[in-house]
């Protein structure tokens, strides 16, 4: 009898231990994952009690808030054009964008305040959401959206500390009407739910020559005063002819700065071939191509090539921005930010700070240097040459009175019978340590110098005036 009682007791204890382990696993280890599921009934009930925290711009302007109604809380977005960045909050469709990145903080527990989650789980005390302040400047964001208008494309404006000041992606959508329009948005071939600034990949055209220039200077295969007789020349790479084409009529010999300003494909094909596949790939990887960028919201990897650059035709084409390159607008902005930041790539971030309802700061962003692709001397040389492109070259559309501006045009071919993508990369002021960087793409917009450059010029001028 004693042995039987002991066996039963041991069995019950073992079952209780397994039950405890199971509850701990599903409530603690996998708890956040289950809570995030939009079809979790407990989550829906909880969200009907929470006043979700606000999302603010850098000056405190409200971008998203929660309105308590008779039917429960209603998420309200005050500036709907920011939807590709802010994302959405829905008990039917889950969360996306900034709403997803800071979901626990906006709900009042996790991340910044783990005790809030414990109070909810064990005391059933509904948390109060924290406020998330972003680095975005609403005025600059409104300007970016107005400049893009009805055109598809993206704009990324940041400073050389890595703060994202504006991030526009068009077309956009109204997150206030997400539940009723989600099916149509998902099926729309224009992909309004896609954040083109971080998840759109495009051939970069001649803006990519900025990276080729930086790599060639840093590796010592060229120098700023080197001259090239490329105006009327043709380089045949395994039967593939490459010419300059863009140099002004009668100007056939020019230095490196003007080769960049005239966007001479031949010169930059030469530089890529002199670097060689391995060194070229190494420098592209230093600038985080083919790698993740640690932004708070999802960023798709940019691509150098489908396989590698061992094919000389592909290497030469990559040198002037074609080939198999697929680059995101934020990656292009980060290349510019590295040049603007003396060769150090800053850690990009959207977060300014998270505060609780009492105003206490719970969390600040991760900042600092992400990597150092080139030397400070090389960065200065690239800035000088980008200045030549604005002063004497096709990037002149970015000029601002009494401001030293550097820039690079890009007109990326997309195939027969389709207009090229219009790109522009620019930075200002070149003569001061605090610099702004803007990356612009207008899908199938045409010439970068006439379509994207004026947009970049307006964004830089506004950023300089705002003086964040």
């Amino acid at each position: 009898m004693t042995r039987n009682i002991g066996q039963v007791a041991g069995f019950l204890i073992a079952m209780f231990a397994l039950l405890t382990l199971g509850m701990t696993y599903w409530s603690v280890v996998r708890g956040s994952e289950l809570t995030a599921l939009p079809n979790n009934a407990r989550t829906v009930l909880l969200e009907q009690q929470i006043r979700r925290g606000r999302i603010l711009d850098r000056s405190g302007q409200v971008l998203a808030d929660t309105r308590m109604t008779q039917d429960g809380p209603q998420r309200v977005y005050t500036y709907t054009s920011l939807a590709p960045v802010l994302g959405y909050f829905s008990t039917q469709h889950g969360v996306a964008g900034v709403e997803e990145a800071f979901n626990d903080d906006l709900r009042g527990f996790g991340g910044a305040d783990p005790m809030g989650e414990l109070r909810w789980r064990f005391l059933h005390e509904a948390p109060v959401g924290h406020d998330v302040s972003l680095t975005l400047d609403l005025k600059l964001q409104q300007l970016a959206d107005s400049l893009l208008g009805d055109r598809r494309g993206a704009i990324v404006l940041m400073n050389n500390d890595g703060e994202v000041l504006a991030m526009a992606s068009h077309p956009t959508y109204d997150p206030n009407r997400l539940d009723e329009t989600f099916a149509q948005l998902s099926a729309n071939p224009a992909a309004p739910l896609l954040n083109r600034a971080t998840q759109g990949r495009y051939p970069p055209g001649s803006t990519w020559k900025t990276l080729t220039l930086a790599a060639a200077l840093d590796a010592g295969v060229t120098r700023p005063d080197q001259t090239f007789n490329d105006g009327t020349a043709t380089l045949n790479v395994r039967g593939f002819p490459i010419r300059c084409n863009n140099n002004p009529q009668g100007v056939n010999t020019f230095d490196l700065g003007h080769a960049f300003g005239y966007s001479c494909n031949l010169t930059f094909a030469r530089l890529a071939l002199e670097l060689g596949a391995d060194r070229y790939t190494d420098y592209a990887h230093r600038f985080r191509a083919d790698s993740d960028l640690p932004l708070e919201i999802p960023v798709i990897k940019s691509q150098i090539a489908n396989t590698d650059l061992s094919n000389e035709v592909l290497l030469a084409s990559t040198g002037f921005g074609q080939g198999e390159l697929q680059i995101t607008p934020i990656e292009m902005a980060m290349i510019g930010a590295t040049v603007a930041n003396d060769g150090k790539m800053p850690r990009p971030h959207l977060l300014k700070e998270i505060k609780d309802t009492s105003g206490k700061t719970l969390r600040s962003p991760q900042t600092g240097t992400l990597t150092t692709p080139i030397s400070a001397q090389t960065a200065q040389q690239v800035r000088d040459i980008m200045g030549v492109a604005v002063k004497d070259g096709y990037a002149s559309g970015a000029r601002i009175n009494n401001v030293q501006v550097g820039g690079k045009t890009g007109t990326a071919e997309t195939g027969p019978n389709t207009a090229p993508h219009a790109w522009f990369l620019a930075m200002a002021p070149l003569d001061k340590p605090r610099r702004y960087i803007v990356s612009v793409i207008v899908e199938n917009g045409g010439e970068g110098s006439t379509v994207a450059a004026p947009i970049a010029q307006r964004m830089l001028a506004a950023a300089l005036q705002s003086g964040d």
Side-chain angles (χ1 to χ4, degrees):
M1 179 67 72
T2 301
R3 185 173 66 248
N4 290 340
I5 292 174
Q7 290 175 343
V8 171
F11 175 78
L12 292 175
I13 291 172
M15 291 299 100
F16 182 77
L18 288 173
L19 180 62
T20 302
L21 288 173
M23 291 179 64
T24 301
Y25 175 76
W26 288 109
S27 63
V28 179
V29 178
R30 299 286 298 279
S32 297
E33 179 183 339
L34 293 177
T35 298
L37 293 175
N39 59 351
N40 186 330
R42 190 178 183 190
T43 299
V44 174
L45 290 173
L46 173 64
E47 299 300 345
Q48 292 176 346
Q49 305 172 43
I50 293 177
R51 184 180 180 91
R52 194 172 176 87
R54 299 177 299 171
I55 301 176
L56 312 171
D57 88 331
R58 65 187 302 110
S59 63
Q61 296 291 315
V62 177
L63 305 176
D65 200 355
T66 297
R67 179 186 302 151
M68 303 305 291
T69 69
Q70 291 182 345
D71 298 326
Q74 178 184 358
R75 196 64 166 162
V76 177
Y77 298 90
T78 57
Y79 184 64
T80 58
S81 294
L82 254 174
V85 180
L86 297 185
Y88 52 78
F89 165 77
S90 167
T91 54
Q92 293 184 40
H93 302 289
V95 286
V98 169
E99 292 275 22
E100 180 179 22
F102 302 104
N103 189 40
D104 282 347
D105 304 299
L106 290 165
R107 298 167 80 238
F109 54 67
D113 181 20
M115 292 305 297
E117 184 168 2
L118 292 176
R119 289 193 297 270
W120 168 60
R121 293 191 183 281
F122 297 105
L123 301 178
H124 304 290
E125 178 184 322
V128 178
H130 307 312
D131 286 346
V132 174
S133 295
L134 304 178
T135 57
L136 297 175
D137 183 313
L138 183 57
K139 290 183 179 179
L140 294 174
Q141 182 68 40
Q142 290 172 325
L143 176 61
D145 286 315
S146 68
L147 291 172
L148 274 180
D150 294 332
R151 296 174 292 188
R152 298 183 190 182
I155 298 174
V156 178
L157 174 71
M158 62 193 307
N159 60 33
N160 59 327
D161 289 334
E163 293 181 316
V164 178
L165 304 176
M167 180 178 282
S169 173
H170 286 204
T172 182
Y173 62 96
D174 185 352
N176 294 312
R177 301 177 59 241
L178 180 83
D179 289 344
E180 61 186 280
T181 60
F182 190 81
Q184 297 94 313
L185 292 172
S186 300
N188 190 333
L193 293 172
L194 178 75
N195 183 352
R196 283 165 159 77
T198 61
Q199 297 173 302
R201 299 199 304 181
Y202 309 88
S206 292
T207 52
W208 188 255
K209 288 172 182 166
T210 309
L211 184 141
T212 304
L213 174 68
L217 286 168
D218 201 67
V221 304
T222 189
R223 60 186 188 279
D225 62 352
Q226 182 176 354
T227 58
F228 300 86
N229 298 311
D230 286 344
T232 58
T234 299
L235 176 67
N236 284 290
V237 182
R238 297 189 178 277
F240 179 69
I242 303 173
R243 302 179 182 87
C244 193
N245 294 331
N246 297 322
N247 52 304
Q249 187 174 2
V251 181
N252 299 319
T253 300
F254 31 77
D255 61 17
L256 181 61
H258 287 84
F260 185 80
Y262 300 150
S263 204
C264 180
N265 287 350
L266 174 52
T267 303
F268 284 84
R270 291 189 195 279
L271 295 178
L273 291 170
E274 288 185 45
L275 278 164
D278 290 342
R279 275 198 298 185
Y280 195 97
T281 301
D282 174 56
Y283 273 99
H285 285 168
R286 294 187 194 188
F287 279 93
R288 304 291 288 195
D290 288 337
S291 300
D292 292 318
L293 276 175
L295 192 66
E296 294 91 341
I297 60 177
V299 178
I300 194 170
K301 294 179 183 178
S302 291
Q303 171 190 286
I304 307 170
N306 291 328
T307 53
D308 57 44
L309 296 178
S310 56
N311 181 296
E312 288 187 338
V313 175
L314 179 59
L315 175 59
S317 300
T318 302
F320 57 80
Q322 290 293 152
E324 297 171 346
L325 287 163
Q326 292 289 308
I327 307 301
T328 62
I330 192 168
E331 166 68 14
M332 188 59 65
M334 292 303 296
I335 292 171
T338 303
V339 172
N341 199 44
D342 295 328
K344 298 177 180 179
M345 180 176 283
R347 180 178 290 273
H349 56 281
L350 281 161
L351 177 65
K352 181 184 177 185
E353 60 186 356
I354 298 175
K355 290 185 175 182
D356 64 15
T357 53
S358 70
K360 177 185 176 183
T361 299
L362 301 174
R363 192 179 352 146
S364 299
Q366 285 186 287
T367 59
T369 300
L370 192 59
T371 182
T372 306
I374 54 176
S375 70
Q377 179 184 8
T378 298
Q380 180 65 63
Q381 291 172 336
V382 175
R383 289 198 299 271
D384 291 342
I385 288 174
M386 293 182 76
V388 171
V390 172
K391 181 181 178 183
D392 297 335
Y394 296 124
S396 60
R399 291 175 185 168
I400 301 173
N401 290 337
N402 302 316
V403 177
Q404 292 187 25
V405 182
K408 183 69 192 79
T409 57
T411 303
E413 297 177 5
T414 58
N417 304 317
T418 57
H421 296 321
W423 276 93
F424 203 83
L425 174 65
M427 65 187 68
L430 298 182
D431 57 340
K432 296 179 181 178
R434 183 63 156 182
R435 301 185 179 103
Y436 300 93
I437 304 94
V438 64
S439 167
V440 178
I441 181 172
V442 179
E443 294 181 16
N444 306 117
E447 297 289 331
S449 59
T450 58
V451 176
I455 295 175
Q457 191 267 358
R458 290 281 305 278
M459 292 303 302
L460 285 178
L464 290 166
Q465 188 175 9
S466 71
D468 73 290

